[in-house]
Amino acid sequence: QVQLVESGGGLVQAGGSLRLSCAAAGRTFSAMAWFRQAPGKEREFVATISWSGYATRYADSVKGRFTISRDNAKNTMFLQMNSLKPEDTAVYYCAARVGPTISRALGEYDYWGQGTQVTVSS
């Protein structure tokens, strides 16, 4: 049974940092990603990473502040979030796809975690 379990969310002041983790169980994945969904908005792409970690892509809104990484030995992906802003407040979801290439498209991901809440206060 495939499972993706996020952790590390919480409440932080603007300018602060959080590190999200996504532990995968049941299989390994070539491409993984983070998405987020704010209240009343559609789920949006945040960052994606290839198996090797050499290929990454970021949404313009988080570029330079967030860093995606992974530890394949532990089958875990991370999102280091620095210089957080109130507009980063959302539920953050881990996603994984069976296909080999990274993607920004929500519809190309086959497995999803349950989400972890990130709240940034001003």
Side-chain angles (χ1 to χ4, degrees):
Q1 181 180 357
V2 176
Q3 274 191 317
L4 301 177
V5 180
E6 302 98 333
S7 61
L11 173 64
V12 64
Q13 288 188 331
S17 298
L18 282 174
R19 189 190 194 209
L20 305 184
S21 298
C22 171
R27 64 162 291 165
T28 57
F29 296 96
S30 296
M32 299 185 73
W34 291 97
F35 288 79
R36 68 186 182 185
Q37 188 167 17
K41 295 188 176 181
E42 293 185 351
R43 195 170 299 188
E44 65 175 6
F45 168 77
V46 174
T48 183
I49 187 168
S50 64
W51 169 262
S52 67
Y54 289 138
T56 59
R57 299 291 186 272
Y58 295 91
D60 288 344
S61 59
V62 307
K63 202 172 293 182
R65 299 188 298 122
F66 291 10
T67 303
I68 190 171
S69 61
R70 62 192 296 171
D71 182 341
N72 292 333
K74 297 181 178 179
N75 210 10
T76 301
M77 178 180 65
F78 305 98
L79 186 67
Q80 178 66 43
M81 305 187 294
N82 298 329
S83 302
L84 282 161
K85 304 176 181 180
E87 51 264 45
D88 293 319
T89 295
V91 178
Y92 283 71
Y93 295 91
C94 166
R97 65 186 304 250
V98 175
T101 58
I102 58 174
S103 174
R104 298 170 179 260
L106 184 150
E108 293 194 356
Y109 285 85
D110 305 292
Y111 298 94
W112 293 85
Q114 82 288 351
T116 185
Q117 177 70 46
V118 171
T119 303
V120 184
S121 63
S122 58

